[in-house]
Amino acid sequence: MLSLHIPDKESLTIEHVILDFNGTLAVDGKLIPGVASRLEELSPLVSLHVITADTNASARSELAKISCTLKIIGKNRQDQAKLEYAENLGLKSVLAIGNGRNDGMLLQHAALGVCVVQKEGAAIAAMQAADIVCNDINDALDLLLQPHRLTATMRN
Ligand SMILES: [Mg+2]
């Protein structure tokens, strides 16, 4: 469990982190350097879930050594499928990280949504739905590992 304190807002108790794969954890289907070690550092604190359309058909092999649940979704209504997955976990306990149009609903309804831009860019819909936009996934994961950064970004 991760307790996130945001001044003027209720504290967030995050039990699940839902991550998109392509454009978020990976570029061209390959895990981005630095991601695996950060996910391993986070895994004792929260449950990690990777939910993806698996465009490059590489998620299972790339994530084989990482302590996470992998959910590969179908071709249609992917935004709805990602949201429903989070609803089943309990939206209030979910922090979501993604970059694509199909992450928009998830980023909007999760307790906290983080959009990443990096090499593949971010859909405007995802960016507008998020609470925070990061240049890259390692910065986004470091917000969770060093939550005072997140507090500083979110305070009003
Ligand atoms: Mg993506």
Side-chain angles (χ1 to χ4, degrees):
M1 186 195 87
L2 267 177
S3 282
L4 303 177
H5 299 286
I6 298 170
D8 300 336
K9 283 189 146 191
E10 60 181 314
S11 291
L12 303 178
T13 302
I14 301 300
E15 294 175 52
H16 303 278
V17 176
I18 300 183
L19 303 126
D20 168 52
F21 188 68
N22 288 297
T24 297
L25 295 179
V27 64
D28 297 330
K30 295 276 182 200
L31 269 189
I32 292 166
V35 163
S37 61
R38 285 173 173 83
L39 292 181
E40 284 311 317
E41 211 175 323
L42 275 172
S43 65
L45 307 175
V46 288
S47 299
L48 300 171
H49 308 259
V50 179
I51 178 162
T52 173
D54 203 17
T55 307
N56 296 296
S58 63
R60 195 169 302 281
S61 57
E62 287 294 300
L63 295 168
K65 292 182 181 162
I66 293 177
S67 311
C68 66
T69 303
L70 173 63
K71 167 79 175 168
I72 295 174
I73 53 173
K75 286 188 165 53
N76 299 317
R77 297 303 315 270
Q78 294 172 347
D79 55 354
Q80 192 69 42
K82 290 192 176 201
L83 177 60
E84 282 170 11
Y85 188 92
E87 283 173 341
N88 286 334
L89 297 173
L91 286 169
K92 280 190 158 191
S93 67
V94 170
L95 184 147
I97 306 179
N99 77 310
R101 195 174 139 217
N102 63 11
D103 295 308
M105 287 171 70
L106 172 62
L107 294 174
Q108 179 161 10
H109 293 283
L112 204 72
V114 181
C115 180
V116 290
V117 180
Q118 42 196 11
K119 300 292 186 197
E120 298 191 11
I124 291 291
M127 204 178 270
Q128 288 179 328
D131 297 288
I132 298 173
V133 177
C134 287
N135 289 328
D136 80 66
I137 184 63
N138 289 320
D139 293 342
L141 295 173
D142 285 345
L143 290 178
L144 306 185
L145 293 167
Q146 301 188 53
H148 63 276
R149 295 183 182 180
L150 192 146
T151 300
T153 299
M154 289 300 293
R155 76 179 323 139
N156 186 12

